[in-house]
Amino acid sequence: MILQYLKLLKDKRIVLASSSPRRKEILEKLGWNLMIIPSEFEENLQWESFSHPGDYVVATARGKANEVTKRLEKCGEKPYLVIASDTCVSLETQVFGKPKDRHDAQRMLSLLSGKTHDVISGVSAMLSYDDGWHEIVFYEKTKVHFGRLAPEEISSYIDTGEPMDKAGGYGIQALGGTLIEGIEGDYYNVMGFPLHKFCSTMAPYFGRLVK
Amino acid sequence: MILQYLKLLKDKRIVLASSSPRRKEILEKLGWNLMIIPSEFEENLQWESFSHPGDYVVATARGKANEVTKRLEKCGEKPYLVIASDTCVSLETQVFGKPKDRHDAQRMLSLLSGKTHDVISGVSAMLSYDDGWHEIVFYEKTKVHFGRLAPEEISSYIDTGEPMDKAGGYGIQALGGTLIEGIEGDYYNVMGFPLHKFCSTMAPYFGRLVK
């Protein structure tokens, strides 16, 4: 794990290639002073063309990380680490991103009601080495058990405006948390970033800073 | 569930009988304007004298809620709802509250390392009826899978000061989140308040406001 390296990492330039306030909040738990550079990668990959939703979110995360590192290089910038992530909701044979509109949110939440779905977040972490970038990719899956929602409850929830910018049409960290009976896995993964897997995966790389 | 009643509840006086900033944060997700009245109930019940840790935290929560409602009654105050809660960590045959000191935190975290424990939160919700108080009590259990922690990692974590005011010596919502592989159940229960069970248990009572 990485707690013992946090002091060393405090002085490193670390870029989060995302405009998500939730990803920022999660990574700021590590005490990092993040540079936020939202990616301009067009998120238009088709989940149907991947054999697993995990490959799909990893591909989007890679696209985001690559776009930002290239943009930074053009300005002669080479931070220590660039982090990008993408999250989707997978229910049976369907994959949900952010709802397009109110009707789409209603559709997603009606389908999720009373069932268990997977939240899958993919990460691309680009470490700068002397001879170039070293890319580390992975994804993490968390099961989410949704309570049974009455139609008027779904409408009340959509009225709050919360569903619109979130994969699957809900936010576990806010009012949406009341809809969820329980999860199996990393809560932060449902919120948008797999914190535990990121820390355990990156620990050996951060460990090299000590040497 | 209670989302459709939130507007009606906005004007009600709701008391949280706790000084925990985490419980406040969780209940404020519901958009409530909470009155915070920390309980003066002496938390000196012995967990060994209860047949289940759930009964122990419920008894402490009841003690807190009763103390606050009595104090409010003395001043002629009768809010709509008084909420109290207590949380403990249960590992095999032991129950952990907040660590007494650094050494105690080290002991708890060493025991939790690489194992699965239960976080159990008890709630007492006192609803004011015309003829007196109506008490609703319950507890909720969430399994937490801890990663394997090296001694230097435990020390680094204790150095941050985070463990000291938290049951089991860690906070899932902050740096402690990096130590946790995953959970089974309600994340907010681990943070200190079982949000989902509270909402589903209270819904029928709040539903009467509509009639």
Side-chain angles (χ1 to χ4, degrees):
Chain A
M1 295 292 294
I2 66 167
L3 286 189
Q4 59 270 45
Y5 311 129
L6 290 183
K7 268 184 205 157
L8 290 167
L9 287 161
K10 227 163 190 160
D11 304 326
K12 300 280 175 192
R13 284 198 305 155
I14 298 175
V15 168
L16 175 60
S18 168
S19 59
S20 157
R22 296 173 289 282
R23 294 200 178 109
K24 179 170 178 280
E25 187 190 325
I26 295 168
L27 281 161
E28 280 178 347
K29 288 181 193 298
L30 301 176
W32 291 350
N33 194 4
L34 296 166
M35 261 167 79
I36 306 293
I37 306 181
S39 170
E40 291 165 8
F41 175 73
E42 205 181 341
E43 297 180 40
N44 58 2
L45 301 177
Q46 298 299 310
W47 62 266
E48 294 91 340
S49 58
F50 292 85
S51 59
H52 186 279
D55 299 332
Y56 162 62
V57 284
V58 161
T60 303
R62 294 189 69 179
K64 291 178 183 179
N66 276 291
E67 186 277 324
V68 168
T69 48
K70 277 196 187 121
R71 192 146 39 100
L72 285 167
E73 274 179 348
K74 271 186 199 160
C75 323
E77 294 276 346
K78 208 175 175 204
Y80 170 68
L81 175 64
V82 175
I83 304 163
S85 183
D86 191 53
T87 299
C88 76
V89 159
S90 164
L91 175 76
E92 292 148 11
T93 57
Q94 294 179 76
V95 170
F96 301 153
K98 297 170 188 168
K100 281 191 279 289
D101 51 29
R102 190 186 164 93
H103 182 76
D104 202 26
Q106 182 97 32
R107 178 185 70 89
M108 289 179 184
L109 290 165
S110 305
L111 287 167
L112 297 177
S113 167
K115 289 191 196 148
T116 296
H117 65 266
D118 290 327
V119 175
I120 303 166
S121 294
V123 171
S124 164
M126 307 272 282
L127 272 169
S128 67
Y129 283 8
D130 289 342
D131 58 348
W133 294 98
H134 182 79
E135 186 179 17
I136 299 137
V137 295
F138 63 89
Y139 68 81
E140 175 73 309
K141 196 175 80 172
T142 304
K143 280 195 187 304
V144 177
H145 309 290
F146 242 66
R148 200 169 291 279
L149 310 181
E152 63 270 27
E153 189 164 30
I154 295 179
S155 295
S156 300
Y157 183 49
I158 295 174
D159 287 344
T160 66
E162 196 176 284
M164 296 320 293
D165 65 333
K166 296 175 184 77
Y170 71 93
I172 192 173
Q173 71 290 338
L175 264 183
T178 66
L179 312 174
I180 294 166
E181 272 177 19
I183 69 169
E184 288 174 57
D186 185 350
Y187 167 87
Y188 295 108
N189 192 44
V190 183
M191 199 169 148
F193 191 82
L195 183 62
H196 184 82
K197 191 148 181 178
F198 175 77
C199 292
S200 56
T201 304
M202 298 306 287
Y205 299 96
F206 296 153
R208 290 181 202 167
L209 293 170
V210 185
K211 288 158 202 161
Chain B
M1 294 291 293
I2 67 167
L3 287 188
Q4 59 269 48
Y5 311 129
L6 290 184
K7 268 184 205 157
L8 290 167
L9 287 161
K10 227 166 189 159
D11 303 326
K12 299 281 177 193
R13 283 197 307 153
I14 298 175
V15 168
L16 175 60
S18 169
S19 59
S20 157
R22 297 172 289 282
R23 296 202 175 107
K24 179 170 178 278
E25 187 189 326
I26 295 168
L27 281 161
E28 280 178 348
K29 288 182 193 298
L30 301 175
W32 291 351
N33 193 4
L34 296 166
M35 260 166 79
I36 306 293
I37 306 182
S39 171
E40 291 165 8
F41 175 72
E42 205 182 341
E43 297 180 39
N44 57 2
L45 301 176
Q46 298 299 311
W47 63 264
E48 294 91 341
S49 59
F50 292 85
S51 59
H52 186 279
D55 299 333
Y56 162 62
V57 285
V58 162
T60 302
R62 293 189 69 179
K64 292 178 182 178
N66 276 290
E67 187 278 324
V68 168
T69 48
K70 277 197 187 120
R71 192 146 38 101
L72 286 166
E73 274 179 348
K74 271 187 198 159
C75 324
E77 294 275 346
K78 209 176 176 202
Y80 169 68
L81 175 64
V82 175
I83 304 163
S85 183
D86 191 53
T87 299
C88 76
V89 159
S90 164
L91 176 76
E92 293 147 13
T93 57
Q94 293 178 77
V95 170
F96 301 154
K98 296 169 189 168
K100 282 190 280 288
D101 51 31
R102 190 186 163 93
H103 181 76
D104 202 27
Q106 182 96 30
R107 178 186 70 90
M108 290 179 182
L109 291 164
S110 304
L111 286 167
L112 297 177
S113 166
K115 290 192 194 145
T116 296
H117 65 266
D118 290 329
V119 174
I120 303 166
S121 294
V123 171
S124 164
M126 306 273 283
L127 273 168
S128 68
Y129 283 7
D130 288 342
D131 59 348
W133 294 98
H134 183 78
E135 186 179 16
I136 299 137
V137 295
F138 64 89
Y139 67 82
E140 175 73 309
K141 196 176 81 174
T142 305
K143 279 194 187 304
V144 177
H145 309 290
F146 241 67
R148 200 169 290 279
L149 311 180
E152 64 269 26
E153 188 164 28
I154 294 179
S155 295
S156 300
Y157 183 49
I158 295 173
D159 286 345
T160 65
E162 196 177 283
M164 297 318 293
D165 65 333
K166 296 174 185 79
Y170 71 93
I172 192 173
Q173 70 290 339
L175 265 182
T178 66
L179 312 175
I180 293 166
E181 273 176 20
I183 68 170
E184 287 174 57
D186 184 350
Y187 167 86
Y188 294 107
N189 193 44
V190 185
M191 199 168 148
F193 192 81
L195 183 63
H196 184 82
K197 190 148 183 178
F198 175 79
C199 292
S200 56
T201 304
M202 299 305 289
Y205 299 96
F206 296 153
R208 290 180 200 167
L209 293 170
V210 186
K211 288 160 201 160

